[in-house]
Amino acid sequence: MMLNERQRVRKAIRFEKPDRVPMLNFNFDKEDSDIVLVDIQQHFGGADGLQSEWGFVWERVDGTMGQVREPLLKTERDAAALRAPALRAGERIAAAKREMAQYGPDKYFLASLQLSGFTTMSILRGFAQTLEDLVCAPELAQAVADAVFGFETELIDLAARCGFDGVAFYDDWGTQNGLFLSPQMWTELFLPRYKAQFDRVHAHGMDVYFHSCGQIMPIIGGLFDAGVDMLNLSQPNLYDMEALGREYGGRRCFVIPVSYQTTLLTGGREEIYADVARAVRCLGAAGGGLIGYAEDYSSLHMPAENLDYNVSAFRELGRYGEEGVL
């Protein structure tokens, strides 16, 4: 039976033997992507793409995301007075539906928060100050979290009204070597908030997509237990893929790119295909559990042909046979 994109993604998440590993093309060729991201929160708005609806402004010297010019919440009084942006429900729903209509009814649509949770908190208040607040001024930190997570909860409800298949959270928790917060503090302060959000997503019949940069192995189990359906680990070069497969392969669904820190920048076809083969073998061999990811990082001087190899490797190596094996 020929599957459409939505069916393929759902089967991959639920280990129901799709015909192939689905693809997420993040910022190019969305027409050829199984998953399409549609922004329902605007952190990169305005004519120049540098304005967040929360009020902070980006500085950018190249094609990357850039850095926030300065924290919006400079004082404790600013933080205590933080209010979420206007919901503008009708306007936001209409814009999302217009964009979804461009790609037809069969795509798997994710409502993207662009940046979320702690990441938004740390931009509003400043990264170091946010960490300090969590220890020295926890009530203030929780007030900022209430505003950020509360607004996201309203957006989750709007996503359901738009007919999205899932909601995409983007919250970075890792450095190159590990978490920048203790697992205990993360579990106490943030896991309950995630659990409430993910439960709400599921209550609307949608799936949870969660992205994090960095090495976050200590909290992967917590994220899955809280309700993550698709976990995007954006730096697979920081992980032992075989160990990840032994721990979660055949039970949990991952969204995995070829490393755009290493292989995609300095490797060639052979290295890219080898990385995809490893991800497929370790995470996607049990009738699902893997979604391929590709992103155009020409801003980092990634060779154009490497993006093509990234996509073709998943297409060629990620095909399932009748028995659901690759």
Side-chain angles (χ1 to χ4, degrees):
M1 180 184 68
M2 181 70 71
L3 300 177
N4 65 30
E5 295 93 334
R6 178 179 292 108
Q7 293 167 334
R8 181 175 297 118
V9 174
R10 287 177 173 173
K11 283 182 175 293
I13 295 170
R14 294 159 176 76
F15 295 88
E16 294 176 352
K17 303 178 182 178
D19 53 348
R20 62 169 173 81
V21 171
M23 280 299 298
L24 168 53
N25 297 346
F26 179 75
N27 59 350
F28 71 102
D29 290 349
K30 290 186 177 183
E31 295 81 3
D32 293 329
S33 181
D34 294 289
I35 297 175
V36 172
L37 292 158
V38 175
D39 299 329
I40 60 167
Q41 180 166 227
Q42 295 300 324
H43 281 305
F44 304 95
D48 54 6
L50 299 177
Q51 314 292 318
S52 168
E53 63 180 311
W54 282 88
F56 54 80
V57 180
W58 299 89
E59 286 187 340
R60 188 178 298 149
V61 296
D62 53 26
T64 62
M65 185 172 74
Q67 300 290 330
V68 172
R69 189 171 298 168
E70 59 182 355
L72 189 68
L73 309 178
K74 296 183 178 67
T75 68
E76 291 190 4
R77 179 176 294 180
D78 293 336
L82 176 65
R83 296 294 180 269
L87 186 59
R88 306 188 321 276
E91 175 186 335
R92 209 178 293 263
I93 290 172
K97 287 187 174 182
R98 281 196 303 271
E99 186 169 352
M100 293 165 74
Q102 296 177 25
Y103 300 99
D106 293 337
K107 297 289 188 184
Y108 182 100
F109 288 104
L110 279 174
S112 171
L113 298 178
Q114 290 194 328
L115 302 170
S116 60
F118 174 84
T119 297
T120 301
M121 292 171 59
S122 67
I123 291 172
L124 288 166
R125 183 78 165 122
F127 181 79
Q129 188 60 61
T130 300
L131 293 179
E132 184 176 323
D133 288 346
L134 288 172
V135 177
C136 301
E139 291 185 0
L140 188 68
Q142 293 306 314
V144 176
D146 286 343
V148 170
F149 281 80
F151 184 59
E152 292 170 4
T153 298
E154 292 186 273
L155 294 179
I156 289 168
D157 294 340
L158 283 185
R161 292 169 59 186
C162 291
F164 279 100
D165 300 289
V167 179
F169 300 82
Y170 287 80
D171 206 357
D172 296 336
W173 280 110
T175 68
Q176 292 289 105
N177 302 312
L179 302 178
F180 46 74
L181 207 64
S182 73
Q184 180 180 353
M185 180 176 284
W186 181 88
T187 299
E188 291 174 355
L189 299 183
F190 289 95
L191 187 57
R193 292 184 180 273
Y194 286 138
K195 180 71 164 59
Q197 285 185 321
F198 302 164
D199 284 350
R200 199 175 192 100
V201 172
H202 290 149
H204 285 302
M206 299 183 293
D207 298 317
V208 174
Y209 175 106
F210 193 95
H211 156 94
S212 181
C213 287
Q215 223 299 351
I216 63 164
M217 193 69 179
I219 63 172
I220 286 177
L223 286 168
F224 279 132
D225 289 345
V228 168
D229 299 293
M230 297 166 276
L231 180 60
N232 173 217
L233 301 178
S234 64
Q235 293 161 279
N237 53 298
L238 303 182
Y239 293 86
D240 180 334
M241 199 61 62
E242 282 74 15
L244 204 62
R246 288 192 297 272
E247 182 74 17
Y248 298 106
R251 299 189 302 109
R252 304 294 193 178
C253 184
F254 290 85
V255 182
I256 298 292
V258 177
S259 171
Y260 34 79
Q261 275 194 320
T262 55
T263 307
L264 280 182
L265 299 185
T266 61
R269 184 184 187 280
E270 183 176 345
E271 292 84 358
I272 290 169
Y273 270 66
D275 278 8
V276 170
R278 185 177 301 111
V280 165
R281 182 182 71 251
C282 294
L283 300 175
L290 179 64
I291 294 169
Y293 179 100
E295 184 169 352
D296 182 352
Y297 257 107
S298 53
S299 59
L300 299 180
H301 307 292
M302 182 182 78
E305 62 269 23
N306 282 4
L307 181 61
D308 295 334
Y309 293 147
N310 186 164
V311 174
S312 62
F314 276 109
R315 297 284 192 191
E316 294 173 23
L317 303 177
R319 294 198 169 274
Y320 292 95
E322 291 184 3
E323 299 303 317
V325 295
L326 294 153

